[in-house]
Amino acid sequence: MHEKLLGLLILLISLITPLKAQEISFGLKRNALDLPERIFELVEVVDARRNKPALGKIYTSSNQSVLYGLEGGLQEGLKQFYNNAVPKKGEIRRIQLHVLEFAIVEQKQGNSVASGDIKMKFAYYLEGAFQPIHLVDYEAGMNYRRSINRTDLVGNVLNQGIKKSVQFLNDWIRDQAADDRRLANKVRVEIIEKDRINHPDTVFYNANKPISFQDFRDRPNVASRFNATIFTSLSLEGASFVQEGTIILPLEVKVYMLPGSSWIKSGGQSEYTLNHEQRHFDVTKIVGNRLVEKLKYMDLNPDNYEGLVNDAFLDAFREMNRLQEIYDGQTRHGLDHGAQSRWNTILDQALEGNMTSVELELMKGK
């Protein structure tokens, strides 16, 4: 009697224990695609679908509807297939794939036939230094009819769809790589140096043409104890473009004075005063030269070149203001003739490319 009760209990437990859902998995075929080379590496697959456990359900020969998935899981399966389908070659872009939609919806067409619709939508991103950069989306729809006994045909259709997505991405990168800024893998700075034509409101620095009294056009400040004031500054201009996968960044450093903001008293129009103001202009030119040298050797990449170039310019602008203050402070705005003579030498050396004394003064002036 005891044995019969125990057997009945086991039977009842087995009846109320939920059965594990059946699932069929298909494998991606590793046969080579019709591609000369693969110019990307899939570094990550992000499953962004709403329903993640499986791709959908399909019917089996026993007329059961079972879950259908990818061997090894969707993320790892796609990553391995993309990276193994074709040998990589050339400049490799690191790609992140977001699976937005990947679903099978199958219906029975009588007792022996099933039909299905497959929808795929992938978003491709370029791995960036800070965050992924969206490149392009791939969307495809496929439908099929099959014998209820041929579940393998579903895998064949899916294989074809995924192969096409690989070819789409590879072709898109190849077609866009030369001109699309997002795919550029290098940055090259090209320094533009040319003589500028002066305008009534702007006088550009010219080593062969020092400033003159006529370049001071503002009304003098009669309350000032100084004989003259010059307004000098610098700017950085350039518009980048893409050429054969490289971002070309032409940059021009402009050094100029503004006559409308510069003045000289009629009683102070001497060569000594003019030299002191010219040296302010020289200071700005020296800082501009230092900025040019820095830009030539900066380590830039497509993710950060704009920010780094802007930071370099702002650093140069602050350096210009600091060096002007040091120069005026030590010469007492030109009143100390001995200090003025010393600074004439320092600035002449710097204009010739020897920055040693200027750098020492900047260090002392901190």
Side-chain angles (χ1 to χ4, degrees):
M1 183 65 178
H2 178 74
E3 292 179 358
K4 290 182 180 181
L5 289 175
L6 182 59
L8 181 60
L9 181 60
I10 293 174
L11 176 62
L12 288 172
I13 292 174
S14 66
L15 289 174
I16 63 174
T17 300
L19 296 174
K20 183 179 180 181
Q22 287 184 289
E23 181 173 349
I24 297 177
S25 297
F26 80 99
L28 289 169
K29 298 176 181 177
R30 296 293 192 264
N31 52 311
L33 298 180
D34 185 20
L35 294 174
E37 60 187 30
R38 174 169 56 87
I39 52 178
F40 68 86
E41 179 180 2
L42 199 63
V43 295
E44 184 180 6
V45 176
V46 177
D47 190 352
R49 298 174 302 151
R50 291 182 179 179
N51 301 316
K52 296 184 179 181
L55 301 181
K57 291 184 177 182
I58 66 171
Y59 287 93
T60 65
S61 56
S62 59
N63 284 323
Q64 289 182 315
S65 180
V66 300
L67 295 174
Y68 195 75
L70 176 59
E71 286 181 3
L74 180 66
Q75 292 164 280
E76 190 59 30
L78 287 176
K79 182 178 177 181
Q80 292 299 322
F81 181 75
Y82 268 70
N83 290 336
N84 294 334
V86 181
K88 61 183 178 181
K89 184 179 179 182
E91 295 287 346
I92 300 299
R93 273 74 178 184
R94 292 172 60 82
I95 300 297
Q96 186 184 85
L97 187 160
H98 289 219
V99 181
L100 306 180
E101 188 175 4
F102 198 169
I104 300 172
V105 177
E106 194 171 86
Q107 295 178 337
K108 286 187 64 178
Q109 303 289 324
N111 292 327
S112 60
V113 176
S115 64
D117 291 309
I118 300 173
K119 291 184 179 180
M120 299 168 55
K121 186 174 182 181
F122 298 161
Y124 298 105
Y125 289 76
L126 181 70
E127 185 181 66
F130 305 104
Q131 60 184 6
I133 301 165
H134 180 254
L135 295 177
V136 67
D137 291 346
Y138 171 80
E139 191 166 1
M142 297 162 283
N143 51 69
Y144 61 86
R145 284 173 60 87
R146 67 175 180 88
S147 165
I148 203 76
N149 298 315
R150 295 294 306 276
T151 56
D152 59 302
L153 293 180
V154 183
N156 293 342
V157 175
L158 286 168
N159 266 281
Q160 290 301 316
I162 296 173
K163 286 179 183 179
K164 288 180 180 179
S165 73
V166 178
Q167 186 143 14
F168 167 84
L169 176 61
N170 208 69
D171 290 347
W172 187 89
I173 293 175
R174 185 188 60 224
D175 294 341
Q176 300 294 322
D179 303 312
D180 195 312
R181 186 179 301 270
R182 296 169 298 177
L183 294 173
N185 47 36
K186 290 182 288 188
V187 178
R188 185 173 77 241
V189 173
E190 294 183 351
I191 300 298
I192 300 173
E193 296 181 289
K194 61 183 179 181
D195 292 334
R196 308 290 306 186
I197 298 175
N198 293 337
H199 303 287
D201 61 346
T202 308
V203 173
F204 293 99
Y205 188 93
N206 188 333
N208 299 317
K209 188 178 180 181
I211 56 174
S212 65
F213 295 122
Q214 289 70 37
D215 294 322
F216 295 78
R217 299 176 192 161
D218 194 14
R219 179 178 298 178
N221 182 358
V222 295
S224 174
R225 63 189 181 94
F226 305 119
N227 288 323
T229 290
I230 187 172
F231 188 106
T232 70
S233 192
L234 55 81
S235 64
L236 179 64
E237 298 180 8
S240 63
F241 60 94
V242 180
Q243 186 178 75
E244 296 180 356
T246 297
I247 295 176
I248 310 299
L249 184 58
L251 292 174
E252 181 181 11
V253 176
K254 296 180 181 180
V255 178
Y256 58 90
M257 68 160 290
L258 301 180
S261 301
S262 305
W263 54 263
I264 188 167
K265 293 179 180 177
S266 56
Q269 291 187 5
S270 66
E271 291 301 318
Y272 180 86
T273 298
L274 193 61
N275 173 74
H276 177 79
E277 302 307 320
Q278 174 66 51
R279 296 302 181 170
H280 276 295
F281 209 179
D282 291 344
V283 166
T284 304
K285 175 60 175 175
I286 289 163
V287 172
N289 290 347
R290 287 164 62 81
L291 174 59
V292 165
E293 288 304 303
K294 184 175 183 179
L295 292 171
K296 285 180 180 178
Y297 300 104
M298 287 183 72
D299 184 16
L300 302 175
N301 65 64
D303 287 328
N304 68 0
Y305 75 96
E306 291 175 314
L308 291 178
V309 168
N310 287 335
D311 288 346
F313 174 72
L314 292 175
D315 288 343
F317 205 88
R318 286 189 284 265
E319 181 178 274
M320 176 190 70
N321 290 333
R322 190 165 71 250
L323 193 58
Q324 297 284 18
E325 291 173 358
I326 294 170
Y327 166 61
D328 254 346
Q330 292 189 11
T331 63
R332 292 194 297 124
H333 297 269
L335 298 177
D336 188 327
H337 287 230
Q340 183 66 58
S341 178
R342 174 174 169 272
W343 269 92
N344 289 346
T345 301
I346 290 173
L347 298 176
D348 283 340
Q349 291 174 346
L351 287 170
E352 293 174 359
N354 183 357
M355 300 288 176
T356 303
S357 296
V358 162
E359 290 172 352
L360 287 174
E361 296 300 331
L362 283 168
M363 291 296 295
K364 289 192 297 184
K366 283 186 176 180

